[in-house]
Amino acid sequence: MSGTARHDQEMVMRAKKNLATCTDPLEKLRLQCLSRGSAGIKGLARVFKIMDDDNNRSLDFKEFLKGLGDYGVYVEKNEAQEIFSVFDKDGSGTVDFDEFLVTLRPAMSNARKDVIMQAFRKLDKSGDGVVTIEDLKGVYNATHHPKYKNGEWTEEQVFRSFLDNFDSPYDKDGQVTKEEFLNYYSGVSASIDSDVYFVLMMRNAWKL
């Protein structure tokens, strides 16, 4: 129901290949995230979120550099400075990391964004902008899961495992925001060239 393993594998190989010849610092960072699979950009978002101690949703250069290092993506300090300067438009010495992550996502057509948001709205039964285990009940059937069938997992564990697909390995909170969902699917989208095929895949996967 998320990105298929084959698409992920193709995208990882493509990103690694393009990295070898890439000279643009921002594109290099994007490719390093995509070389980790569909969840690459979402994972970086989580690292920045954890670092944002005062919850002002912005980072100074030192925090920005540390966030990249903590996530294990490598850019030269001067390249990081170049990326940072692009986003520090007002010269305040801080960047808005929501704006940064939106730019870091691979470009998606409106058709792709629309179908992703349709899927999110279907999951977000309560309409509060966050998908939780409660939202999944009645939308996602846990009884078909192999681990539920063999008695290894409860329904709750199946739901939690499903949400973890979209969550970061660094901070699994059992909740998925609209941004996390978009960050995840921007990775899946990068592995699929055709809009028509992407939209069809999403409609089939989410029964839209």
Side-chain angles (χ1 to χ4, degrees), residues 16-180:
K16 285 180 176 172
K17 186 182 168 194
N18 292 343
L19 253 177
T21 54
C22 181
T23 53
D24 176 73
L26 184 62
E27 181 63 16
K28 204 183 277 188
L29 180 57
R30 181 184 290 128
L31 288 170
Q32 283 198 58
C33 287
L34 293 177
S35 70
R36 291 167 174 237
S38 300
I41 288 174
K42 185 175 55 62
L44 183 60
R46 280 293 198 174
V47 171
F48 283 160
K49 193 175 174 187
I50 293 162
M51 292 191 67
D52 182 29
D53 293 331
D54 54 5
N55 287 321
N56 67 351
R57 305 194 73 76
S58 67
L59 301 167
D60 61 27
F61 182 65
K62 196 175 162 188
E63 289 172 322
F64 180 71
L65 208 55
K66 186 175 185 309
L68 296 181
D70 285 356
Y71 192 51
V73 291
Y74 178 74
V75 289
E76 298 281 354
K77 192 171 180 180
N78 63 320
E79 291 179 326
Q81 186 70 67
E82 204 178 313
I83 296 168
F84 191 84
S85 300
V86 170
F87 292 96
D88 182 18
K89 293 186 179 76
D90 57 359
S92 65
T94 60
V95 296
D96 177 304
F97 67 72
D98 287 330
E99 189 189 333
F100 168 73
L101 291 161
V102 166
T103 308
L104 191 60
R105 283 183 203 141
M108 285 191 289
S109 66
N110 285 335
R112 294 189 188 213
K113 286 180 193 165
D114 286 349
V115 78
I116 291 168
M117 290 322 298
Q118 282 176 43
F120 185 83
R121 284 192 293 272
K122 182 174 180 178
L123 277 180
D124 181 22
K125 277 200 308 190
S126 60
D128 63 355
V130 180
V131 175
T132 62
I133 285 173
E134 277 306 307
D135 285 316
L136 289 183
K137 290 174 181 171
V139 179
Y140 178 61
N141 191 342
T143 58
H144 296 310
H145 196 285
K147 289 195 175 182
Y148 180 85
K149 281 182 172 174
N150 70 17
E152 196 179 328
W153 280 2
T154 63
E155 192 178 29
E156 190 98 350
Q157 283 170 307
V158 175
F159 286 141
R160 186 60 196 260
S161 168
F162 174 76
L163 288 177
D164 283 350
N165 280 321
F166 305 96
D167 227 336
S168 157
Y170 300 97
D171 181 26
K172 293 186 187 296
D173 59 4
Q175 298 186 340
V176 177
T177 65
K178 200 179 293 182
E179 283 303 304
E180 285 173 330

Side-chain angles (χ1 to χ4, degrees), residues 3-16 29-44 71 106 165 183-191:
T4 69
R6 184 174 61 81
H7 288 133
D8 245 28
Q9 207 175 358
E10 282 172 13
M11 180 181 61
V12 167
M13 284 164 65
R14 194 188 309 175
K16 285 180 176 172
L29 180 57
R30 181 184 290 128
L31 288 170
Q32 283 198 58
C33 287
L34 293 177
S35 70
R36 291 167 174 237
S38 300
I41 288 174
K42 185 175 55 62
L44 183 60
Y71 192 51
N165 280 321
N183 284 338
Y184 177 83
Y185 272 112
S186 71
V188 177
S189 170
S191 69

